[in-house]
Amino acid sequence: MHVDLLITHASQLLTIPAHEHGPQRGDRLGDLSIIEDGALVVSGGTIVDRGPTVDLAAKYQADQTIDAGGRVVMPGFVDPHTHVVFAGDRANEFERRIAGATYMEIMNAGGGIMSTVRATRTASVDELVAQTRARLDRMLQHGTTTAEAKTGYGLETQAELKMLAAIERLDAEHPIDLVPTFLGAHAIPTEYQGREDAYTDLVVNEMLPAIASRILHPASFFVDVFCEDGAFTLTQSRRILVRAKELGFGLKIHVDEFEPLGGTRLGVELGAISVDHVVTTPPDEIELLGRSDTIAVSLPGTPFGLAQRDYTPARAILAAGGALALATDINPGTTWNESMQMISALACRYLKLTQAQALAAATINAAYAIGRGGSIGSLEIGKQADVLIMDTPDYRQIGYRYGTNLVRTVIKRGRIVNQAS
Ligand code: NIG
Ligand code: FE
């Protein structure tokens, strides 16, 4: 049979399957379903077969054959939580934090998220696209083939729509597929200090309808809220998310990053696709989460970037039967890191995941956390051919080694889009 692409001689072909058309949950996390000396067959950008090289090389004639040469072949990383679209940087604040200031102190003094909001409001769409493109290029080089991208540095209707326009342009022009999330409730902008409910009204009554009028498929678009002391209260978060749900959007929430406000319970109650951060989550909410379909998205780059001690209680979430995914949270304030390999390394050390668990959390489970589990995140027949060839024969080197890039070849929809020199 004639096909477009045949990848042969993977030392380990990591298929990382979905479980019952869903994420790998609880103690079943870490099922890589490895095919040794494996091959992958691609036609029309889609995976059409996979199996031992000896069988498939005889069965298919391909336009292009790539000999993986005894290296690991795996699905592209999926990064399900990013603030990758922004202008400027906050290197000055990092310097202040080294000297002892906390993240929330800087934010409450008008810096933090608001300083990126000022830079983003004054940037043109072209500038936002150009600055973000450089980061997406690095993400791609490090193996990310699909990413979520949030607004949230505009905090006024037109500036939020400008961020959305930048996300749409980058999705169209860049090999990385972007899944958009509206985060108008990222911070209370300075001009609304002391009038937090009035800003919540603006999000509910003006921004959400403005977004809804532009989005054709609301179910594959997400609305997120930063539920935190100094950002949005539980009551304000509920108002925004209930309205978003009425408009047909999927829901995400930043919960329990610093203070536990009950956001995890709220996310589960409203059927959010994910609750994100999940660091200070109390045990009863971990139990609720474990029994729900809501995915816990852990962002270990954030406590690491803030030099904090506490990380997501991943073992407890898995013991409760929960579904866990990993993401970078890339943003200019808490963690500017483009690499899901780095996130896997942090997850092995601070979340106590095995390398296999980290890889499943960063691929198939991450895909489900953005509603794309049916089409990406694993090397299964019928899925989009988003594939990495890694510069190692043993998957256990990913997460064990860190700080260097082990990605050799990045394939998106069956086409090579990045090749390490
Ligand atoms: O997920 N927590 C809120 N948002 C980001 C930080 C954004 C920023 O500081 O610019 C986060 O850590
Ligand atoms: Fe975030």
Side-chain angles (χ1 to χ4, degrees):
M1 198 172 130
H2 200 93
V3 294
D4 295 338
L5 173 67
L6 180 62
I7 303 172
T8 59
H9 299 299
S11 56
Q12 302 170 334
L13 187 94
L14 313 183
T15 58
I16 323 189
H19 285 170
E20 292 92 38
H21 304 287
Q24 299 187 1
R25 305 185 64 96
D27 60 11
R28 296 178 68 207
L29 178 65
D31 170 12
L32 303 182
S33 290
I34 297 173
I35 302 171
E36 283 178 15
D37 195 9
L40 192 75
V41 186
V42 178
S43 223
T46 300
I47 297 168
V48 295
D49 207 353
R50 60 179 186 180
T53 299
V54 280
D55 300 341
L56 300 192
K59 192 165 158 194
Y60 295 97
Q61 285 86 52
D63 284 345
Q64 185 185 11
T65 298
I66 301 174
D67 183 346
R71 297 181 178 83
V72 167
V73 173
M74 62 172 278
F77 286 108
V78 177
D79 188 347
H81 180 136
T82 87
H83 307 257
V84 69
V85 182
F86 62 85
D89 71 75
R90 308 223 294 271
N92 58 336
E93 288 182 6
F94 182 61
E95 203 170 32
R96 281 164 64 195
R97 282 199 281 114
I98 292 169
T102 70
Y103 176 71
M104 286 315 257
E105 277 165 14
I106 292 172
M107 173 156 158
N108 293 335
I113 292 172
M114 268 323 285
S115 96
T116 300
V117 168
R118 287 187 287 274
T120 303
R121 282 178 178 173
T122 54
S124 66
V125 181
D126 287 348
E127 285 163 346
L128 267 182
V129 165
Q131 291 187 33
T132 304
R133 188 188 292 123
R135 292 184 278 274
L136 291 178
D137 287 346
R138 270 189 296 275
M139 287 165 67
L140 187 72
Q141 286 155 16
H142 286 83
T144 296
T145 47
T146 300
E148 185 255 24
K150 301 179 194 293
T151 72
Y153 293 118
L155 309 188
E156 53 193 19
T157 307
Q158 285 316 311
E160 286 291 308
L161 291 173
K162 176 175 72 181
M163 288 194 72
L164 195 56
I167 293 169
E168 287 166 354
R169 253 177 63 185
L170 287 160
D171 175 45
E173 75 168 43
H174 198 276
I176 294 183
D177 283 326
L178 293 179
V179 175
T181 294
F182 169 68
L183 181 58
H186 194 192
I188 306 289
T190 317
E191 61 274 19
Y192 278 90
Q193 283 307 324
R195 298 189 296 131
E196 289 79 6
D197 283 333
Y199 183 70
T200 305
D201 291 341
L202 182 78
V203 173
V204 168
N205 299 327
E206 186 178 301
M207 291 188 189
L208 282 175
I211 300 282
S213 70
R214 294 181 77 245
I215 299 298
L216 288 178
H217 303 290
S220 47
F221 184 99
F222 298 101
V223 172
D224 190 353
V225 176
F226 185 18
C227 181
E228 184 63 53
D229 261 359
F232 293 82
T233 65
L234 191 67
T235 306
Q236 291 160 348
S237 302
R238 176 188 287 278
R239 273 190 65 204
I240 293 163
L241 294 171
V242 164
R243 183 73 189 117
K245 190 173 176 172
E246 286 166 4
L247 291 168
F249 293 123
L251 307 181
K252 291 179 164 283
I253 325 186
H254 284 68
V255 299
D256 310 327
E257 179 176 0
F258 303 108
E259 295 299 326
L261 300 187
T264 296
R265 183 181 298 276
L266 178 65
V268 169
E269 178 198 321
L270 296 179
I273 192 162
S274 70
V275 287
D276 300 44
H277 284 292
V278 207
V279 175
T280 57
T281 312
D284 58 323
E285 290 184 67
I286 290 178
E287 287 304 316
L288 269 179
L289 181 58
R291 287 196 299 272
S292 76
D293 288 334
T294 299
I295 297 178
V297 176
S298 178
L299 313 167
T302 307
F304 180 77
L306 294 171
Q308 291 180 343
R309 259 201 353 252
D310 293 333
Y311 287 78
T312 300
R315 291 277 191 92
I317 292 170
L318 296 177
L324 183 81
L326 292 169
T328 61
D329 193 24
I330 178 173
N331 73 74
T334 60
T335 177
W336 186 333
N337 155 52
E338 284 93 349
S339 169
M340 287 293 286
Q341 294 169 76
M342 180 67 189
I343 292 301
S344 303
L346 294 173
C348 291
R349 286 159 184 79
Y350 295 112
L351 275 58
K352 304 289 176 213
L353 299 188
T354 63
Q355 298 99 311
Q357 289 177 320
L359 283 176
T363 53
I364 187 65
N365 285 11
Y368 276 106
I370 50 173
R372 297 284 178 101
S375 56
I376 57 169
S378 61
L379 300 183
E380 295 181 280
I381 292 170
K383 282 200 168 175
Q384 197 167 293
D386 295 356
V387 185
L388 307 178
I389 303 176
M390 306 296 287
D391 231 333
T392 169
D394 180 354
Y395 78 85
R396 294 175 308 170
Q397 296 231 344
I398 308 162
Y400 157 58
R401 293 167 63 180
Y402 59 91
T404 48
N405 187 6
L406 292 176
V407 170
R408 180 181 171 90
T409 308
V410 183
I411 294 165
K412 181 76 187 175
R413 288 194 183 83
R415 273 196 332 110
I416 295 180
V417 287
N418 202 267
Q419 178 67 53
S421 42

